Amino acid sequence: MSTSIQTSTGLVGTTLEGAADLTRMERIGAHSHIRGLGLDDALDPRATSQGMVGQKQARKAAGVLLEMIKQGKIAGRAILMAGAPGTGKTAIAMGMAQALGQDLPFTSMAASEIFSLEMSKTEALTQAFRRSIGVRIKEETELIEGEVVEITIDQTTGVGAKTGKMVLKTTEMETVYDLGQKMIEALTKEKITAGDVIQIDKASRKITRQGRSFARSRDYDAAGGDQRFVQCPEGELQKRRETVHTVTLHEIDVINSRTQGFLALFSGDTGEIKPEVRDQINTKVAEWREEGKAEILPGVLFIDEVHMLDIECFSFLNRALEDELAPVVIMASNRGVTRIRGTNYTSPHGIPIDLLDRLLIISTSPYSQQEVHKILAIRCEEEDVEMTEDAKDALTTIGMETSLRYAIHLITASALAARKRNASEVDVQDIRRVYALFLDEKRSVSLMKEYQQEYMFNDQQDSNRREMIMG
Ligand SMILES: Nc1ncnc2c1ncn2[C@@H]1O[C@H](COP(=O)(O)OP(=O)(O)OP(=O)(O)O)[C@@H](O)[C@H]1O
Ligand SMILES: [Mg+2]
């Protein structure tokens, strides 16, 4: 078959980067204070760094893992982060994503997502897997590089398309190029004049201005300080240059699936992708690898709340992890021994034993009082809330007795309370106020028990009634 496989074009490349820029301006989220794993060069965790506090063992383990991933030493492994709620499992995964850098793909999903997409569970997982594998593609591009000697534009034609000529030179040669309307527009837009050193990409016709030729440095006294001077290029005007770009397998899939086209990448509405398309792409990528044109970069797939997957998904994972093209899969769960979804069997973390056996397990432990204090202080900064030390202590006590999450949630609420009484700093009274206003889980449960008769669907009540009927 003579299908040519497209990878991302320049257009896709730039637009996707733009999208990444957009998400970076995200509002303050639960983990927006996390900027990395906070490790030093020897991969030892600093007490507090990059927004990370404590949980040293798990952070170090994550760091070692990350190093192996960066060196391309592991793929197709799976890691489980296990620990109580609010012990930083998701936070550490986000830290890893930050530390992974731009080139290696990191995909993050909640296990329950696969049940809500308009595609089969296994298709959703396959897409997530392929989103997490990068392909670094080397491409040769042809370009013209030279110093502009002269640009002449025919003024005579009046209406209609403009034409013109441009003379370009290197230290060794000089050539005259005919200019069409498009090129003239591009040159005008970039304000190219004689004496500029420029580069023209032959495929995309994109013009880039490298700077002014040194030979012209004296002509321009008024040029100002921002002028960059470069040497007149040497050798031939036409050059080949190697460019490298990274796309994910999933992006290649989508671009080449005939029903979708690359526009689907932006709508996110990719639908199911035919297995034949994937087979073709795998074959092509394997060919490129052999020819030295492409390199596979296994990234990371993070599946949060992994106990929400069901038995079919788990068995899919068993198999998919052994595939040649597999990313590193990191899962997180806060469950103990619980039922495996889709079966009547129980298992630790709700994960079948045969999958558990393939996992390396990192465990997270509860935080000390000091650590909670530090995390709360970092969150105050992140949310731009000024808080007195006393208030922070009070909040820490609340955090220790209820949960870290609950305490974090009180920060913004208490800031509003402080603003209401025209104070610039949150004080203990504000904390007290919101603590009374918003219940934590324990108080809510006890309150509910007290007033259980007034709630709907009350099991307690039902069982009473059942007893009555039975009796
Ligand atoms: N070591 C840490 N340093 C800084 N912030 C942390 C740390 N651990 C947790 N946090 C923050 O505390 C909050 C709760 O942590 P997180 O969501 O990571 O818990 P989790 O272990 O994923 O819990 P769950 O099992 O309920 O999903 C988040 O806002 C997180 O960013
Ligand atoms: Mg979590």
Side-chain angles (χ1 to χ4, degrees), residues 233-449:
E234 293 173 2
E236 301 266 321
L237 271 161
Q238 299 224 20
K239 294 191 175 83
R240 288 179 157 277
R241 187 152 302 167
E242 206 170 67
T243 54
V244 179
H245 58 181
T246 312
V247 289
T248 69
L249 272 180
H250 177 70
E251 280 163 4
I252 306 182
D253 288 351
V254 174
I255 295 168
N256 290 283
S257 81
R258 229 150 295 157
T259 48
Q260 311 292 341
F262 79 86
L263 283 178
L265 274 182
F266 307 117
S267 65
D269 180 18
T270 51
E272 300 219 352
I273 288 165
K274 293 202 190 81
E276 305 90 76
V277 174
R278 291 210 173 100
D279 286 344
Q280 266 178 30
I281 287 163
N282 289 353
T283 320
K284 201 72 194 177
V285 170
E287 256 171 52
W288 288 340
R289 281 171 86 181
E290 258 167 42
E291 292 163 13
K293 278 192 204 154
E295 201 185 324
I296 296 288
L297 310 169
V300 176
L301 169 60
F302 175 56
I303 310 180
D304 210 350
E305 319 279 342
V306 70
H307 47 262
M308 291 304 287
L309 293 181
D310 64 9
I311 187 77
E312 288 154 35
C313 299
F314 285 126
S315 98
F316 173 89
L317 281 184
N318 274 344
R319 180 72 196 75
L321 282 171
E322 278 163 21
D323 199 282
E324 194 196 352
L325 293 174
V328 173
V329 179
I330 300 179
M331 312 175 197
S333 171
N334 58 15
R335 300 294 157 99
V337 177
T338 180
R339 201 170 61 85
I340 303 167
R341 243 185 125 153
T343 71
N344 287 323
Y345 299 100
T346 56
S347 181
H349 317 294
I351 300 174
I353 299 288
D354 56 345
L355 178 58
L356 264 183
D357 192 36
R358 288 174 165 82
L359 304 178
L360 291 171
I361 301 179
I362 300 178
S363 76
T364 52
S365 42
Y367 292 111
S368 70
Q369 175 132 8
Q370 280 157 333
E371 286 163 345
V372 169
H373 188 277
K374 191 74 218 178
I375 294 175
L376 289 172
I378 291 177
R379 284 304 301 184
C380 283
E381 230 168 82
E382 178 71 19
E383 296 179 24
D384 259 336
V385 172
E386 300 284 337
M387 197 180 279
T388 61
E389 270 313 305
D390 285 349
K392 275 184 197 160
D393 290 342
L395 201 56
T396 307
T397 313
I398 293 176
M400 289 303 286
E401 289 195 352
T402 62
S403 77
L404 175 60
R405 277 223 182 84
Y406 175 70
I408 290 179
H409 286 167
L410 291 191
I411 296 176
T412 308
S414 61
L416 290 176
R419 201 190 302 159
K420 190 139 183 242
R421 58 176 185 92
N422 282 329
S424 60
E425 267 189 323
V426 173
D427 207 348
V428 181
Q429 55 174 303
D430 304 308
I431 303 283
R432 205 174 288 140
R433 185 140 178 245
V434 290
Y435 179 77
L437 212 50
F438 299 105
L439 300 186
D440 59 285
E441 173 260 350
K442 267 187 215 150
R443 275 182 296 155
S444 166
V445 169
S446 72
L447 202 72
M448 200 168 61
K449 285 205 177 123

